Amino acid sequence: MKFRHAVASLSVLLGLSVSIAASARDVHVPGDFATIQGAIDASPSGSEIRVGPGRYVENLVILNKAITIKSSHGSSRTILDGGSKSTTVWAQGTGKERVVVAGFKITNGFNSFANDPSPTPGTGGGVRVELVRATIEDNVITGNVGCIGAGVFSQEASIEVRRNLISGNRQDQSCGGSNGGGIYMNGSTRKDSVIADNVVEFHKIEGYGGGVGINGVRGVTISGNTIHHNLAFDYGGGILVNGSSADIVRNVIVDNATVSPFSTTGGGVALLAIDRWNDISLSENLIQGNTSDSAPGAWLLAYYDKAIRADSNWILGRGPAALVRCDAGEARQEQCDLERRRAGN
């Protein structure tokens, strides 16, 4: 009886072990699956997909599932190619799922307003994440086409964008005056997003936020990035923060521009604190050689007292316009002027 009881107990334990193993696993492409999408579809939530070297012409879709997708040999040897059909990597969840995409060259994504096959037309040519906790790291994101966030786009997501080269993504002719070249974050009540240690370069857009655009986000840290040679039509050639809270610290923001034939402002940085909850800090950044008709270094627009704090920045350049422009709404003008002086002008 004791022996049979022990065997029964062992069977229960083994069954539990099998159940746990089935709940998450490591899989390999092309070892276990010929395609990455096949591995995503077959793998339970919590799995890690290891991708070997090669070019994978796929439009990856991750729905309501926590998945880690990593290359085994890095971005120089592992290419995710969207085939100019749709967004290269698209993840959507309920707000709880964690999605990691690491170590790829992500290219040839296409998502314009006229792109009928896409459920989310126009947003995110290379990467789009919505209602997930996403980590996008150690990738090269280049040669993608999208209207809003041609390189990386997030919607109501907590996102970490770390150590990527985000270069030369562009807008389709059908996009009109859309926003966000390299990275565009739109709307999030979370306060833990991060854009850190990336290179964001060579984007040209017809809207606002040539390199990085932040809109309606409760909290994001932008630190340690090099943001250069990005162009926006009206303002925010390097970085645009609009109606959001952000800490912008220790970035190199150089040689960005606004290029409208009409009056432009904020060639390097445009910070627009337009809602009462907005809290923006600009500190210890090098902002140099940016161009626009007005405030080629930084444009600070604060509707409320102490909504923008600027300190210990190096803002350098030449031209007839003052490097920093500060406008106040309901905020006291003297507070706005103080921030302008602290910003370096």
Side-chain angles (χ1 to χ4, degrees):
M1 292 294 294
K2 290 182 179 179
F3 177 75
R4 285 199 298 270
H5 178 72
V7 170
S9 298
L10 180 60
S11 298
V12 171
L13 288 173
L14 287 174
L16 178 61
S17 298
V18 170
S19 176
I20 291 173
S23 67
R25 57 180 178 154
D26 292 346
V27 300
H28 297 83
V29 176
D32 299 318
F33 295 90
T35 66
I36 302 171
Q37 188 65 57
I40 292 170
D41 294 342
S43 299
S45 191
S47 298
E48 180 169 313
I49 299 170
R50 285 282 184 173
V51 181
R55 178 181 290 269
Y56 300 85
V57 183
E58 304 187 52
N59 302 102
L60 302 182
V61 178
I62 305 165
L63 294 179
N64 302 325
K65 184 180 287 190
I67 285 288
T68 295
I69 306 173
K70 289 186 176 181
S71 72
S72 60
H73 286 72
S75 60
S76 64
R77 298 184 60 188
T78 319
I79 302 168
L80 302 182
D81 186 331
S84 298
K85 293 180 179 179
S86 187
T87 298
T88 306
V89 181
W90 176 43
Q92 184 181 57
T94 65
K96 298 179 181 179
E97 298 85 355
R98 177 165 290 282
V99 173
V100 178
V101 179
F104 297 93
K105 180 179 180 181
I106 300 172
T107 190
N108 286 336
F110 180 84
N111 198 6
S112 75
F113 292 139
N115 190 20
D116 292 339
S118 174
T120 55
T123 56
V127 177
R128 175 193 164 92
V129 296
E130 180 178 5
L131 288 170
V132 295
R133 300 175 62 85
T135 299
I136 311 298
E137 63 185 12
D138 300 319
N139 303 287
V140 175
I141 302 172
T142 185
N144 300 284
V145 178
C147 293
I148 306 174
V152 178
F153 176 87
S154 72
Q155 175 76 33
E156 294 293 344
S158 169
I159 182 170
E160 296 185 14
V161 184
R162 297 181 182 273
R163 300 183 305 277
N164 302 280
L165 171 61
I166 303 173
S167 177
N169 303 284
R170 63 182 180 85
Q171 292 190 335
D172 185 62
Q173 292 181 350
S174 68
C175 296
S178 300
N179 304 327
I183 303 170
Y184 195 79
M185 297 176 59
N186 189 57
S188 177
T189 58
R190 304 190 66 91
K191 301 180 180 180
D192 55 355
S193 290
V194 176
I195 299 171
D197 303 318
N198 305 280
V199 175
V200 183
E201 62 180 14
F202 300 114
H203 299 95
K204 181 179 180 180
I205 62 166
E206 297 299 320
Y208 315 121
V212 176
I214 309 294
N215 181 67
V217 174
R218 285 281 176 175
V220 57
T221 299
I222 303 172
S223 67
N225 303 283
T226 298
I227 300 170
H228 70 100
H229 291 95
N230 300 285
L231 306 178
F233 194 69
D234 282 319
Y235 49 82
I239 297 177
L240 165 71
V241 176
N242 179 57
S244 302
S245 293
D247 292 324
I248 306 166
V249 57
R250 292 187 297 277
N251 300 281
V252 176
I253 305 165
V254 299
D255 296 326
N256 303 283
T258 54
V259 295
S260 170
F262 309 106
S263 180
T264 64
T265 189
V269 175
L271 308 180
L272 285 63
I274 59 176
D275 294 312
R276 191 172 294 277
W277 56 268
N278 295 165
D279 182 8
I280 304 173
S281 174
L282 181 74
S283 62
E284 300 180 47
N285 300 280
L286 172 62
I287 303 173
Q288 182 176 10
N290 303 284
T291 58
S292 64
D293 294 333
S294 172
W299 177 34
L300 315 177
L301 171 63
Y303 278 16
Y304 303 98
D305 277 345
K306 301 180 181 178
I308 299 175
R309 303 179 310 283
D311 203 4
S312 302
N313 300 285
W314 293 268
I315 303 181
L316 308 171
R318 296 181 179 179
L323 290 174
V324 180
R325 171 181 162 188
C326 189
D327 294 324
E330 294 182 12
R332 297 192 308 273
Q333 185 61 48
E334 59 266 28
Q335 175 68 32
C336 198
D337 289 341
L338 174 61
E339 303 308 347
R340 176 171 55 193
R341 290 196 296 273
R342 287 177 175 172
N345 196 53

mmCIF file of all heavy atoms in Angstrom, residues 18 24 122 144 181 205 316 323:
data_model
loop_
_atom_site.group_PDB
_atom_site.id
_atom_site.type_symbol
_atom_site.label_atom_id
_atom_site.label_comp_id
_atom_site.label_asym_id
_atom_site.label_seq_id
_atom_site.Cartn_x
_atom_site.Cartn_y
_atom_site.Cartn_z
ATOM 1 N N VAL A 18 5.291 18.100 -15.955
ATOM 2 C CA VAL A 18 4.973 18.193 -17.378
ATOM 3 C C VAL A 18 4.099 19.398 -17.657
ATOM 4 O O VAL A 18 4.283 20.127 -18.622
ATOM 5 C CB VAL A 18 4.279 16.896 -17.841
ATOM 6 C CG1 VAL A 18 3.721 17.067 -19.245
ATOM 7 C CG2 VAL A 18 5.258 15.728 -17.798
ATOM 8 N N ALA A 24 5.595 27.009 -20.643
ATOM 9 C CA ALA A 24 6.585 27.889 -21.252
ATOM 10 C C ALA A 24 7.777 27.049 -21.672
ATOM 11 O O ALA A 24 8.164 26.108 -20.968
ATOM 12 C CB ALA A 24 7.024 28.976 -20.281
ATOM 13 N N GLY A 122 -0.779 52.968 -41.005
ATOM 14 C CA GLY A 122 0.027 54.169 -40.823
ATOM 15 C C GLY A 122 0.970 54.152 -39.652
ATOM 16 O O GLY A 122 1.872 54.978 -39.588
ATOM 17 N N ASN A 144 12.598 51.143 -42.924
ATOM 18 C CA ASN A 144 11.164 50.888 -42.807
ATOM 19 C C ASN A 144 10.376 52.135 -43.204
ATOM 20 O O ASN A 144 10.884 53.255 -43.140
ATOM 21 C CB ASN A 144 10.829 50.494 -41.370
ATOM 22 C CG ASN A 144 11.558 49.238 -40.940
ATOM 23 O OD1 ASN A 144 11.206 48.138 -41.326
ATOM 24 N ND2 ASN A 144 12.616 49.409 -40.138
ATOM 25 N N GLY A 181 9.626 60.249 -36.588
ATOM 26 C CA GLY A 181 10.471 59.576 -37.555
ATOM 27 C C GLY A 181 11.055 58.284 -37.011
ATOM 28 O O GLY A 181 10.663 57.197 -37.399
ATOM 29 N N ILE A 205 10.603 63.944 -41.743
ATOM 30 C CA ILE A 205 9.157 63.777 -41.678
ATOM 31 C C ILE A 205 8.462 65.094 -41.995
ATOM 32 O O ILE A 205 9.046 66.171 -41.873
ATOM 33 C CB ILE A 205 8.706 63.271 -40.295
ATOM 34 C CG1 ILE A 205 9.069 64.292 -39.212
ATOM 35 C CG2 ILE A 205 9.320 61.920 -39.986
ATOM 36 C CD1 ILE A 205 8.389 64.031 -37.911
ATOM 37 N N LEU A 316 24.619 75.058 -27.849
ATOM 38 C CA LEU A 316 25.598 75.789 -28.639
ATOM 39 C C LEU A 316 25.124 75.894 -30.081
ATOM 40 O O LEU A 316 24.407 75.033 -30.582
ATOM 41 C CB LEU A 316 26.945 75.059 -28.604
ATOM 42 C CG LEU A 316 27.490 74.694 -27.213
ATOM 43 C CD1 LEU A 316 28.699 73.790 -27.343
ATOM 44 C CD2 LEU A 316 27.816 75.947 -26.422
ATOM 45 N N LEU A 323 19.173 81.011 -29.164
ATOM 46 C CA LEU A 323 19.219 79.560 -29.159
ATOM 47 C C LEU A 323 18.044 78.941 -28.422
ATOM 48 O O LEU A 323 17.610 77.829 -28.744
ATOM 49 C CB LEU A 323 20.533 79.080 -28.525
ATOM 50 C CG LEU A 323 21.801 79.321 -29.342
ATOM 51 C CD1 LEU A 323 23.029 78.933 -28.545
ATOM 52 C CD2 LEU A 323 21.746 78.540 -30.647
#
